[in-house]
């Protein structure tokens, strides 16, 4: 290990944590040096794969001097606790979005980092992705003039796709505003130029069977005078990509799955779940137009 | 004339007034019975065409008992004065949009009508047009559920099309917010269901050469909880019809004029105007892609 290497400890080996490891491995100045998870099998596997220590608790990982930075990929409701542990152990921090579910929690997390002189970054952030960086470059070049107005409109079926219980519980950081809004507002701020001076917004809970925020309508005014609207409707069976010539965030839409089957899909899944009442729910959906069979495995709580 | 006929007096024989006459003529219960214009030639022509009185002043027309209703198609800055004359003469009123350029003016106009027990309607209103009525019918039928959110986005080149001086002077009711917003907000209110309880908005003056509101970004909350956004950008060379599969307010877009020539067109027009400095300006524009030649005649002030 070179001395310029940043040694990263992964807190939580769920989807986000596991995906992050792959990216750290690619980075020339970062090394995965530790992990913390309560699952003994995962600890064993991690130590074998990475020749690095795996700890049972985040406290133990942060107390050691094997890491410089902690990546907090634990559930949203644990972010504050884990940021405090890391900061008080003088570890720099990347914490998964959303940072927290209240301004008070988020502010206390920023304060503890400032007090302990450690950096905290909230990620993952789409602002660092190529299409967004390219948009920013074009704006900064001045070749098309100043940004005056931003209108972001996103209709999709987020709320009706198979979701984990946390994703449908606002108090645990669920719903489209915490989960998707954090990306939408981040990108708009990045392109719009900085700090917001005025906000007017509403959120919608339109289906009490999936009782979390499924939509929002937001009006933002930046300190530089730019105004932006951010609309998100996760109850929709019309996808805004239809309005953008089939081009989505990741380029042309390649999926041949007909859009708008989400509600049916989740209804099948839920009915199977109710019937089986087991730890693992398997739903098989066949989409008639193209005959694709999709296997969905849900882990129930 | 049947006794059930409403006798209409036209105040102002400009474009709006003249267009309105044709519609009154089609209505089974309305008759054009008088007009008021300062132009003696137009009065003569009107009396010949309609076998009805033409007055030099609105006062004189309203003082007579030849009309039940006055259609006020005079410039916006005269609306208040003419509404007062009509109301105090106990004539019902249709006044062209926008009603006025301030809440105070509009309120005083409503008050004088209530005091004199006459009806006042602001028009023309797109809410009475077939596509909007059809949308309202579908909503009221309940077959697709309740309205939850309305997002209206309109990009076009309103500000760069050839315009009259009044249309580019906010104090005279010009700019997209007074001229086009009155339609946009009217339709949204009609479909959204009634009164607005909260507004947050900004307007943009982005080209000081045509110094009036050319854009707005509006967030509205209705008393029934529906939230709406109304975006209008009249500086654009991208038309939102491109996002709606070529379907505009009037059905499929049929024009073969390439979109986005407005700025060039107005620049040609203005440069000709500066050179000629005459009462009538003629601009000839050729659009290279299809060879169409367009003749524009502007009456300067």
């Amino acid at each position: 290990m070179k001395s310029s290497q940043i040694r990263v400890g992964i807190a939580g080996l769920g989807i986000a944590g596991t995906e992050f490891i792959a990216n750290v491995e690619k980075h020339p100045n970062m090394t995965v040096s530790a992990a913390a998870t309560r699952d003994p099998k995962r600890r064993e596997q991690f130590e074998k794969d990475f020749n690095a220590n795996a700890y049972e608790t985040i406290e133990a990982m942060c107390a050691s001097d094997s890491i410089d930075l902690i990546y907090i990929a634990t559930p949203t409701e644990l972010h504050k606790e884990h940021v405090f542990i890391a900061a008080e152990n003088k570890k720099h921090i990347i914490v998964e979005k959303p940072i927290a579910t209240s301004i008070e929690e988020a502010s206390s997390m920023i304060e503890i980092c400032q007090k302990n002189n450690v950096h905290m970054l909230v990620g993952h952030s789409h602002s660092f992705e190529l299409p967004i960086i390219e948009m920013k470059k074009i704006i900064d070049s001045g070749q098309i003039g100043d940004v005056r107005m931003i209108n972001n409109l996103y209709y999709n079926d987020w709320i009706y796709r198979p979701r984990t219980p946390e994703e449908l519980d606002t108090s645990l950081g669920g719903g489209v505003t915490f989960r998707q809004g954090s990306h939408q507002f981040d990108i708009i701020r990045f392109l719009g130029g900085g700090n917001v001076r005025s906000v007017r917004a509403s959120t919608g809970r339109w289906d009490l069977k999936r009782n979390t925020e499924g939509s929002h309508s937001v009006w933002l005014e930046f300190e530089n005078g730019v105004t932006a609207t951010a609309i998100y409707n996760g109850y929709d069976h019309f996808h805004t990509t239809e309005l953008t010539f089939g081009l989505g965030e990741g380029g042309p839409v390649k999926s041949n799955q007909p859009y708008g089957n989400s509600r049916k899909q989740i209804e099948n899944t839920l009915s199977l779940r109710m019937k089986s009442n087991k730890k693992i729910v398997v739903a098989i959906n066949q989409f008639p137009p193209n005959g694709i069979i999709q296997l969905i495995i849900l882990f129930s709580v």
Side-chain angles (χ1 to χ4, degrees), chain A:
Chain A
M1 198 185 76
K2 290 172 282 177
S3 60
S4 64
Q5 290 298 92
I6 297 167
R7 299 167 304 160
V8 180
I10 312 289
L13 289 175
I15 293 170
T18 312
E19 280 185 5
F20 188 69
I21 290 177
N23 293 310
V24 172
E25 289 291 292
K26 284 183 211 158
H27 198 285
N29 299 115
M30 290 179 104
T31 311
V32 175
S33 295
T37 173
R38 286 185 195 152
D39 185 329
K41 281 186 186 166
R42 288 192 187 190
R43 284 203 299 277
E44 195 183 325
Q45 187 66 44
F46 177 86
E47 294 198 325
K48 214 162 75 182
D49 289 349
F50 296 96
N51 190 29
N53 289 332
Y55 298 88
E56 192 178 350
T57 66
I58 288 160
E59 286 89 336
M61 180 170 76
C62 289
S64 83
D65 60 359
S66 67
I67 63 166
D68 307 305
L69 181 152
I70 175 172
Y71 176 75
I72 300 175
T74 52
T76 307
E77 72 270 23
L78 301 174
H79 284 180
K80 184 190 164 185
E81 180 189 337
H82 295 160
V83 162
F84 269 70
I85 294 167
E88 284 165 352
N89 282 284
K90 313 292 180 194
K91 309 301 182 193
H92 299 294
I93 296 161
I94 302 176
V95 58
E96 256 294 324
K97 63 90 196 170
I99 181 173
T101 56
S102 74
I103 293 281
E104 292 70 26
E105 271 195 348
S107 299
S108 74
M109 291 155 77
I110 293 167
E111 274 165 29
I112 196 76
C113 290
Q114 287 172 333
K115 193 180 148 195
N116 285 284
N117 204 25
V118 295
H119 296 293
M120 176 169 64
L121 201 72
V122 182
H124 63 286
S125 165
H126 286 309
S127 293
F128 294 127
E129 288 174 9
L130 272 181
I132 309 299
I133 287 174
E134 282 304 312
M135 288 169 77
K136 180 73 169 150
K137 274 186 193 163
I138 291 169
I139 291 167
D140 289 347
S141 78
Q143 65 190 3
I144 55 166
D146 296 328
V147 174
R148 304 286 193 166
M149 187 195 257
I150 297 175
N151 300 305
N152 187 293
L153 194 66
Y154 201 175
Y155 300 154
N156 63 31
D157 62 351
W158 191 94
I159 206 85
Y160 289 122
R161 288 180 220 154
R163 304 242 73 104
T164 64
E166 291 81 11
E167 286 178 312
L168 296 174
D169 186 333
T170 307
S171 69
L172 303 177
V176 302
T177 307
F178 280 137
R179 293 269 161 173
Q180 298 295 96
S182 39
H183 293 309
Q184 197 179 23
F185 309 138
D186 170 50
I187 291 169
I188 290 172
R189 280 190 56 188
F190 182 65
L191 299 178
N195 288 326
V196 167
R197 72 174 168 210
S198 177
V199 178
R200 187 71 68 99
S202 67
T203 56
R205 291 183 181 224
W206 300 338
D207 187 343
L208 298 185
K209 286 186 195 158
R210 294 171 89 72
N211 192 8
T212 183
E213 287 73 25
S215 73
H216 57 243
S217 172
V218 180
W219 190 93
L220 300 166
E221 188 175 47
F222 288 92
E223 284 175 356
N224 63 10
V226 170
T227 48
T229 49
I231 310 299
Y232 201 105
N233 178 14
Y235 299 99
D236 225 304
H237 290 284
F238 172 85
H239 198 288
T240 30
T241 306
E242 285 195 43
L243 301 181
T244 53
F245 320 107
L247 292 169
E249 296 166 85
V253 173
K254 285 171 193 145
S255 165
N256 58 357
Q257 179 193 323
Y259 193 82
N261 275 318
S262 315
R263 188 192 291 258
K264 196 170 165 238
Q265 181 177 314
I266 200 70
E267 275 171 3
N268 291 346
T269 309
L270 288 178
S271 60
L272 265 172
R273 178 199 283 250
M274 283 189 293
K275 280 178 198 157
S276 68
N277 199 24
K278 285 178 185 169
K279 282 282 174 197
I280 295 171
V281 175
V282 178
I284 297 170
N285 288 281
Q286 185 175 17
F287 301 108
N290 52 20
I292 286 176
I293 292 174
Q294 188 177 357
L295 186 70
I296 298 163
I297 302 175
L298 281 188
F299 296 84
S300 65
V301 282

